[in-house]
Amino acid sequence: LETMNGDLYLCGNNGKNRMGFSNGNTIKNQSSFKRLSFNNKHKSSSIKDCALGGNHGMVLLENNDLLSWGYNEFSQLGYSTSESNSSEPRVVLSQPWKKNNAELKFISVSNIHSSIVDSQNYLYSWGLNVGQIGSSSSFSNYGSSFPFKDEILFKGLKGNIVRNPFAYKLPAWVGDVKQILAVDFATLILYGDNELCVLCNFKTFKFSIPKLGQQEISFDRFVPSKLSKPNKVVKIETKNKYGNNLCALYENGAVGIF
């Protein structure tokens, strides 16, 4: 629960320290909402955006700092941990976007990786790369020049652990980004007029989300009584690890699933 004054309250199962509490190792379940707190440097900082996955979480602060916590098996937190997880929010160590004076615009996390989009249309990702971060191939095909050398198999897919943010310049046709959505095997970027840029299987794809009323496209939808407002998509969501069964929230309040 994110409040209007920039606080984040969490409750639920704290497995893998996904709640981000400083005493998280002693908390298995948090039955009531508890405020997420930061160390002294960021104690008074307000949250601009948050991203919560099944294994870890990440917040963007108003000062453009990025903090993460939780499970770190694939270095998805952006820093090293002595154990397999971090029980409290810590700053992502390498933040190359700051060197370019870029502002972070959108953040998202899956179970295995973290991604952000900055004001210069760069996608930065770290964690387990299985073809969803913008790289064009795996290490075995690239050879020693490829920067990701910890090759592993994850659920039948060949992947590499990316310990520092990997920069990928979004295609020129991606403009006016509205949201980023990271799932295990894909990264989806909502932009423009109901357009999607999808990174998956070491490739980049372009899709259009259908507008309500296009009968030639099979589309299961709930439509409110009023359709007079514009039907631009303002948010997308899915729990599918491949990005399938996408749910789209339209500006007029309608919800479509495709």
Side-chain angles (χ1 to χ4, degrees):
L1 176 66
E2 185 178 357
T3 66
M4 296 293 290
N5 61 352
D7 289 330
L8 183 64
Y9 289 82
L10 302 165
C11 68
N13 184 281
N14 193 42
K16 302 177 182 178
N17 279 315
R18 64 171 64 94
M19 307 291 287
F21 300 141
S22 58
N23 59 341
N25 290 321
T26 64
I27 301 176
K28 292 184 178 180
N29 291 285
Q30 178 67 32
S31 58
S32 59
F33 280 106
K34 182 178 180 180
R35 180 178 176 272
L36 182 70
S37 59
F38 307 120
N39 58 27
N40 292 333
K41 180 181 177 182
H42 300 94
K43 190 172 183 179
S44 60
S45 300
S46 295
I47 295 174
K48 183 178 180 180
D49 197 5
C50 67
L52 303 175
N55 292 332
H56 72 294
M58 189 164 63
V59 292
L60 171 63
L61 303 182
E62 289 290 350
N63 64 359
N64 213 34
D65 274 348
L66 197 63
L67 284 70
S68 61
W69 66 90
Y71 198 45
N72 201 32
E73 180 183 6
F74 306 116
S75 295
Q76 61 263 52
L77 298 185
Y79 52 80
S80 298
T81 53
S82 57
E83 300 180 354
S84 62
N85 57 68
S86 173
S87 62
E88 58 184 322
R90 292 166 54 185
V91 176
V92 174
L93 291 180
S94 177
Q95 301 194 33
W97 47 87
K98 288 189 174 182
K99 297 178 181 178
N100 300 325
N101 295 319
E103 179 185 356
L104 296 189
K105 304 296 289 185
F106 304 96
I107 67 174
S108 187
V109 301
S110 72
N111 290 315
I112 61 175
H113 80 293
S114 305
S115 292
I116 66 98
V117 172
D118 72 6
S119 56
Q120 298 181 5
N121 245 30
Y122 273 92
L123 170 72
Y124 290 91
S125 303
W126 56 97
L128 182 59
N129 168 34
V130 287
Q132 82 284 35
I133 72 171
S135 61
S136 57
S137 185
S138 64
F139 170 56
S140 59
N141 293 330
Y142 256 67
S144 59
S145 62
F146 197 57
F148 318 138
K149 300 180 181 180
D150 298 324
E151 189 168 87
I152 62 174
L153 284 177
F154 178 75
K155 296 185 178 180
L157 296 179
K158 187 181 296 183
N160 305 90
I161 293 179
V162 182
R163 302 187 184 279
N164 296 307
F166 173 77
Y168 171 71
K169 180 67 173 178
L170 293 175
W173 40 266
V174 176
D176 188 23
V177 175
K178 293 178 170 59
Q179 183 193 351
I180 177 175
L181 176 61
V183 294
D184 287 1
F185 300 142
T187 301
L188 300 87
I189 299 162
L190 176 67
Y191 71 95
D193 188 10
N194 297 7
E195 302 294 325
L196 271 182
C197 173
V198 179
L199 308 179
C200 181
N201 196 27
F202 299 100
K203 298 177 182 178
T204 303
F205 303 93
K206 181 180 180 181
F207 298 98
S208 295
I209 299 178
K211 292 185 177 182
L212 297 176
Q214 290 183 324
Q215 299 298 326
E216 68 276 13
I217 301 177
S218 179
F219 199 96
D220 297 325
R221 64 190 186 275
F222 162 74
V223 183
S225 58
K226 294 184 179 180
L227 288 174
S228 59
K229 296 182 180 179
N231 58 4
K232 288 187 177 181
V233 175
V234 295
K235 186 177 181 180
I236 55 174
E237 188 60 66
T238 181
K239 295 302 181 183
N240 185 280
K241 60 186 178 181
Y242 293 98
N244 298 330
N245 301 322
L246 198 65
C247 182
L249 173 63
Y250 288 81
E251 191 176 8
N252 59 13
V255 176
I257 302 174
F258 63 100

